[in-house]
Amino acid sequence: MLNIDQIRAGYGEGDVLKGVSFTAATAEIHGILGVNGSGKTTLFRVLNDWLPKRAGRTAFSNEELKGYHIGFLETDPYFYPYMKGKEYLGLLKVKNEDYNIDAWNAIFDLPLDQMADEYSTGMKKKLALLGLLAQDRPVLILDEPLSGVDIESNVKFQEIILRLRESGKTILLSSHMLGALTAICDKISLLSGGVITKTYQKEEFSNLEELITAQIKEGLDQQLDELF
Amino acid sequence: MNGLSTILQLRSLQGFRMLRSVGWPLLLLGVPMIAVLSLGVFEGASEGYSLAMIFGIGVLRLHNYRKDHNHLRLLGYNPSIVCMVEYQAIAVFFGIIAWLLVGNYSNLMVMMAVCPIVAILPRVSWTLLKKWLFFPVGWMPLQDFEYRVGMRLAGWMVVALIAFGSLVAYTSPIVPIVSVIFISMITTSWHSAFEPISMIELEQSPTQFLATKLIKSVKYLLLFFLPIGVVFLIHYSDLWYLFVVIVLFGLLINSFAILYKYTGYHRSREKAHGEMAIGMFSMCSLVPFFAPVCLFYLVVYFKKAHQNLNTILC
């Protein structure tokens, strides 16, 4: 069980996160939904310890959440310059001998003999996902995993994420594609104004899209009426 | 013209920020030494056209390295004109210093003439070049990724320096010593890029982590220096202490490069940008009077790196 309790964090003087709290069970995919700038990436950075939290507590299985619990897929993954894809995965395999590079790469067919930092955005994301699988951490944080990848890989990503849940991983996932979130998540939390305003259960997903669209359109219609 | 002056102002600001990132204590210590050394080089090189040649090679390298051509086009600037103005600003700066030093203005004239030629040259495709330039590194362990990547890029240069330092050593003891200095300086640049957090072994202690990195550096450097050292001792056994001092210099600056990297390591950044700091540290360590200061800095940076890694490693 991943427990996020009253997290406050930010850059400079103001707080971007103003007391974020939620829980994610083991073998659960928990979606985080929010508009640009709502703090999704900031939250993930805090959980990863990339940004210090100003208040609050993060725990996993009754101990403090640490770096070695987490596998993090960034929106825009970075790789060591002039290192081949195969070398990157080989380095992670040193710590996980069961990991079969060729078998996993057969899914995406990446040119592993090329330099990873020269890959396209989608290819970098696929390599980062393969690296995440090699790391085999209990908590996975996936920041926009489906953006920048082609439609075929999108389906493959979703299937892999579902299999990871089956294997007992706790997965936090953010996406701008509501359809993709509702298809694979068990819960979706709405992050707005630096707090989780509501958490939707799977049975509430059916009308979630209409609900959110209606909320957005409410103010927008009036603004557009004035402009046009 | 207004846009070009804005670009020049921005470049000056970037330069100032780069200097500031080095840190004032190191800057105050290093600037006078760099100034003395540079003036000496300028004085020597300003006599003929050597300064213009060094400048031409430097600008050519910079021109091929820069990646902002398309960005400048997007902003509505002609990249060739921007490059020319930037290179000429550098040429005027160095050319005037050389002129004032030895009264030879021909270097400045040549430098000014070189700028427009370099500015209109197309960049050489790195993709085409690298196939020929990459050094085979399959024999190196994956865990030594800094050295694998470093050798891949500069392996032929290191091999050439080892060959030069060993085979031409009979002419003068300076040859092997210069080779060792160059190898040491090349290898410091291998500790500039930050590795992604997934490549760091999180369960290690900071002391163990840093010790592994430092020992690895010593191991590789001694491997590179060994052939040169053997030849040096054959020819100049009475000067053995000179070689030991230079080897220690190499080990010292590489250790500093590693500690500087992990002092500034952050999981969301990509590079240490320690060129200036390492350059100044190198110059200080070549002057016996400053050697204790360098050792002190090494201890300070070890503590800083340890502190920074404490927040990353579990």
Side-chain angles (χ1 to χ4, degrees), chain A residues 75-87:
Chain A
T75 317
D76 187 13
Y78 154 75
F79 293 99
Y80 198 81
Y82 298 105
M83 178 175 263
K84 292 178 181 178
K86 194 175 237 170
E87 290 172 345

Side-chain angles (χ1 to χ4, degrees), chain A residues 49 78 82 87 95 118, chain B residues 130 152 194 198 203 267:
Chain A
D49 247 353
Y78 154 75
Y82 298 105
E87 290 172 345
K95 306 285 286 178
E118 290 173 0
Chain B
K130 69 186 180 188
R152 174 173 285 145
F194 290 156
S198 52
E203 68 280 7
R267 286 152 288 190

Side-chain angles (χ1 to χ4, degrees), chain B residues 33-52:
Chain B
M33 295 172 63
I34 290 180
V36 170
L37 197 79
S38 309
L39 288 176
V41 171
F42 273 169
E43 207 165 358
S46 301
E47 288 296 346
Y49 288 102
S50 310
L51 189 66

Side-chain angles (χ1 to χ4, degrees), chain B residues 200-275:
Chain B
I200 286 187
E201 293 174 27
L202 292 170
E203 68 280 7
Q204 282 187 330
S205 75
T207 313
Q208 190 189 356
F209 182 86
L210 287 172
T212 312
K213 294 280 178 190
L214 293 173
I215 291 168
K216 216 176 268 180
S217 158
V218 172
K219 191 180 82 179
Y220 275 102
L221 286 173
L222 290 182
L223 184 73
F224 297 150
F225 298 158
L226 186 69
I228 306 174
V230 170
V231 178
F232 185 91
L233 290 178
I234 292 170
H235 291 294
Y236 314 102
S237 52
D238 49 329
L239 294 174
W240 63 269
Y241 54 89
L242 204 62
F243 194 77
V244 171
V245 168
I246 289 301
V247 167
L248 284 177
F249 161 79
L251 300 181
L252 203 67
I253 62 167
N254 275 275
S255 302
F256 180 75
I258 292 169
L259 296 175
Y260 189 88
K261 172 184 171 181
Y262 290 106
T263 296
Y265 181 87
H266 194 275
R267 286 152 288 190
S268 60
R269 287 188 214 127
E270 297 178 3
K271 224 172 165 230
H273 297 292
E275 296 83 356

Side-chain angles (χ1 to χ4, degrees), chain A residues 45 48-50 66-68 78 80-84 87-88 90-92 94-95 115 118 135 137, chain B residues 126 130 134 142-143 145 148-149 152-153 190 193-196 198-199 202-203 266-268 270 314:
Chain A
R45 288 165 72 101
N48 246 312
D49 247 353
W50 289 22
K66 292 274 189 185
Y68 57 75
Y78 154 75
Y80 198 81
Y82 298 105
M83 178 175 263
K84 292 178 181 178
E87 290 172 345
Y88 173 69
L91 204 58
L92 300 178
V94 174
K95 306 285 286 178
M115 303 298 157
E118 290 173 0
Q135 280 181 288
R137 302 265 164 83
Chain B
W126 177 235
K130 69 186 180 188
F134 278 175
L142 280 172
Q143 289 94 322
F145 57 91
R148 248 181 109 98
V149 167
R152 174 173 285 145
L153 289 173
W190 298 355
F194 290 156
E195 58 269 42
S198 52
M199 284 164 60
L202 292 170
E203 68 280 7
H266 194 275
R267 286 152 288 190
S268 60
E270 297 178 3
C314 300

Side-chain angles (χ1 to χ4, degrees), chain B residues 16 21 39 54 57 63 73 79 90 123 153 164 189 215 241 244 268 276 278 281 289:
Chain B
F16 174 71
S21 71
L39 288 176
I54 295 169
I57 293 167
H63 186 71
R73 250 180 232 117
I90 304 171
R123 288 175 61 213
L153 289 173
F164 177 72
S189 67
I215 291 168
Y241 54 89
V244 171
S268 60
M276 285 285 283
I278 295 163
F281 184 89
F289 180 71

